[in-house]
């Protein structure tokens, strides 16, 4: 069994290889974003730029542009989830069990490996924390995603009951409450379950009521315009600080509940409106189930130090910064895909998919049906 990729727990998703490619792209953007944050901005690599020097000005522009797009990864995953799951208000027990078990496998596995090799000291409390089915000290995204899956059936029921106008009004209210301005994180925040519920319902709206004509007609230009606007905003704030205090240019980020939401929405619509096809796309789609393992591996709290403090500085150090990030992130992405394929093979040998199927049937049999009014 391969761990169900985040957002792909419905058979409809499997029939759209282009969306699977988008899922892989989103995960790659997340890896690249973590490279930029952990190695470039807060690590030992260059994190400030003297834009008076042309080479550094170009490096800043390229790196900041990458950050603009990498910030969309989380939103893309949850939009995909809502798009495919909104039509079926049922608990997806097997998917949740698989996500939890795979998370525990990597959390405990990497911890034990580091302890056995002497790179980390053993602590029983730490082991028990890694055994938690809902991560409480790492993997924030997995914790919020599992929370979303618990409330998703009720969100689906709501979406199925609402009229188009009522659905639009709900999205408007939630957007006003949860967007970064004017209320900040008073009602939510980019890493909150509230924001995930909003994204789920946005994806669900596009699935149930179609893509609005204004959104469908301007996806390409929308991506360019929003990305340029975010870049200009970041550059302007750098410029103001530079003029007032002489502070150097630094890399700036947007949260998931900021303007990057619009960029993610345009990218998502672009893939939905223009489904990718062909053997290459189908081949890549077969690898999509292993993208969850990419997240669990490269974000493990023990592996993060190895990746960004030891491997990154040693990997082709003479490369330009933006190219270094693209290639190293791709290497990490591919290596983690391969490792997770081995994990999936091990699970199949141990008959874990069959065990999860049996367990999920028994749990589902005890859950009262969720029905919509007709």
């Amino acid at each position: 069994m391969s761990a169900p990729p985040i957002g792909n727990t419905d058979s409809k998703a499997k029939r759209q290889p282009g969306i699977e490619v988008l899922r892989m792209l989103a995960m790659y953007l997340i890896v690249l974003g973590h490279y930029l944050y952990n190695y470039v901005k807060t690590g030992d690599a260059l994190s400030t730029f003297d834009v008076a020097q042309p080479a550094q000005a170009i490096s800043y522009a390229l790196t900041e542009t990458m950050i603009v797009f990498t910030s969309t990864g989380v939103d893309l995953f949850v939009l995909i989830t809502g798009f495919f799951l909104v039509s079926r208000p049922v608990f997806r027990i097997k998917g949740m069990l698989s996500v939890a078990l795979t998370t525990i496998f990597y959390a405990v596995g990497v911890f034990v490996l580091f302890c056995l090799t002497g790179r980390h000291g053993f602590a029983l409390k730490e082991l028990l924390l890694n055994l938690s089915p809902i991560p409480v000290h790492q993997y924030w995204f997995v914790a919020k995603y599992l929370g979303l899956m618990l409330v998703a059936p009720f969100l689906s029921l709501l979406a199925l009951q609402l009229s188009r106008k009522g659905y639009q009004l709900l999205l408007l209210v939630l957007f006003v409450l949860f967007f970064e301005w004017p209320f900040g994180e008073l009602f939510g925040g980019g890493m909150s379950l509230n924001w995930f519920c909003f994204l789920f319902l946005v994806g669900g709206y596009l699935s149930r009521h179609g893509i609005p004509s204004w959104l469908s007609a301007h996806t390409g230009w929308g991506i360019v315009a929003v990305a340029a606007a975010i870049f200009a905003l970041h550059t302007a704030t750098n410029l103001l600080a530079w003029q007032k205090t002489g502070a150097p240019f630094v890399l700036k980020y947007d949260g998931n509940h900021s303007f990057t939401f619009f960029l993610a929405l345009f990218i998502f619509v672009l893939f939905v409106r223009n489904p990718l096809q062909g053997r290459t796309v189908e081949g890549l789609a077969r690898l999509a189930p292993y993208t969850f393992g990419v997240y669990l591996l490269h974000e493990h709290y023990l592996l993060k130090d190895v990746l960004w403090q030891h491997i990154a500085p040693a990997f082709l150090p003479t490369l330009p910064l933006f190219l270094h990030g693209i290639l190293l992130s791709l290497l990490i992405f591919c290596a983690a895909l391969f490792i997770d394929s081995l994990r999936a093979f091990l699970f199949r040998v141990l008959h874990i998919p069959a065990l999860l199927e049996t367990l999920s049937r028994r749990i589902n049999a005890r859950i009262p049906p969720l029905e919509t009014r007709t």
Side-chain angles (χ1 to χ4, degrees), residues 166-325:
Y167 205 149
Q168 292 172 353
L169 181 59
L170 172 64
L171 292 181
L172 177 61
V173 170
L174 295 180
F175 176 79
V176 171
L177 291 177
F178 300 151
F179 192 66
E180 186 173 3
W181 297 282
F183 297 114
E185 298 189 354
L186 178 63
F187 298 106
M191 299 169 71
S192 69
L193 180 58
N194 283 341
W195 181 249
F196 276 34
C197 290
F198 169 71
L199 291 173
F200 181 94
L201 289 170
V202 171
Y205 179 88
L206 298 177
S207 177
R208 280 191 51 75
H209 299 291
I211 301 171
S213 57
W214 64 268
L215 184 58
S216 177
H218 302 97
T219 50
W221 284 111
I223 292 172
V224 174
V226 174
I230 298 172
F231 176 83
L233 179 63
H234 291 175
T235 303
T237 55
N238 266 318
L239 186 60
L240 288 174
W242 188 33
Q243 290 180 336
K244 287 184 176 181
T245 66
F249 274 50
V250 296
L251 299 178
K252 295 185 178 295
Y253 291 78
D254 274 325
N256 301 317
H257 66 317
S258 187
F259 292 113
T260 52
F261 161 70
F262 298 106
L263 183 57
L265 182 61
F266 276 117
I267 293 173
F268 176 71
V269 170
L270 180 66
F271 274 77
V272 172
R273 284 187 62 251
N274 303 280
L276 301 177
Q277 297 178 347
R279 292 184 177 179
T280 301
V281 173
E282 292 177 358
L284 289 173
R286 294 190 184 97
L287 299 175
Y290 309 124
T291 54
F292 184 37
V294 174
Y295 174 78
L296 295 175
L297 278 165
H298 94 280
E299 268 293 273
H300 193 284
Y301 65 98
L302 294 176
L303 278 176
K304 287 168 68 172
D305 289 343
V306 175
L307 288 176
W308 310 128
Q309 296 183 18
H310 300 284
I311 293 179
F315 177 78
L316 302 177
T318 59
L319 283 177
L321 187 62
F322 77 97
L323 185 58
H324 184 268

Side-chain angles (χ1 to χ4, degrees), residues 7-146:
N8 183 21
T9 52
D10 191 281
S11 59
K12 182 180 178 182
K14 299 176 183 177
R15 297 194 297 269
Q16 299 195 25
I19 300 300
E20 298 303 289
V21 172
L22 175 60
R23 196 189 317 279
M24 296 182 68
L25 174 62
M27 181 55 69
Y28 172 73
L29 290 175
I30 288 174
V31 176
L32 180 57
H34 289 155
Y35 162 89
L36 292 169
Y37 183 81
N38 292 295
Y39 177 63
V40 181
K41 183 176 175 62
T42 62
D44 296 330
L46 179 67
S47 58
T48 60
F49 300 85
D50 181 3
V51 294
Q53 300 182 25
Q56 289 201 31
I58 293 173
S59 181
Y60 164 76
L62 292 171
T63 308
E64 189 64 59
T65 301
M66 288 197 299
I67 286 177
V68 170
F69 284 94
T70 60
S71 300
T72 64
V74 169
D75 285 358
L76 285 170
F77 270 112
V78 188
L79 286 170
I80 293 171
T81 300
F83 186 80
F84 288 114
L85 302 192
V86 74
S87 61
R88 295 182 59 211
V90 296
F91 287 99
R92 291 163 175 82
I93 300 299
K94 183 180 178 180
M96 287 188 283
L97 290 175
S98 182
V99 167
L101 182 60
T102 306
T103 301
I104 292 172
F105 175 84
Y106 281 117
V108 173
V110 175
F111 169 73
V112 170
L113 179 63
F114 270 64
C115 290
L116 292 176
T117 56
R119 298 183 62 92
H120 190 72
F122 178 81
L124 180 60
K125 181 180 179 180
E126 189 174 358
L127 175 62
L128 295 176
L129 285 173
N130 285 319
L131 283 168
S132 173
I134 295 183
V136 295
H137 76 301
Q138 64 168 328
Y139 299 142
W140 73 266
F141 179 76
V142 178
K144 300 301 167 55
Y145 176 79
L146 288 172

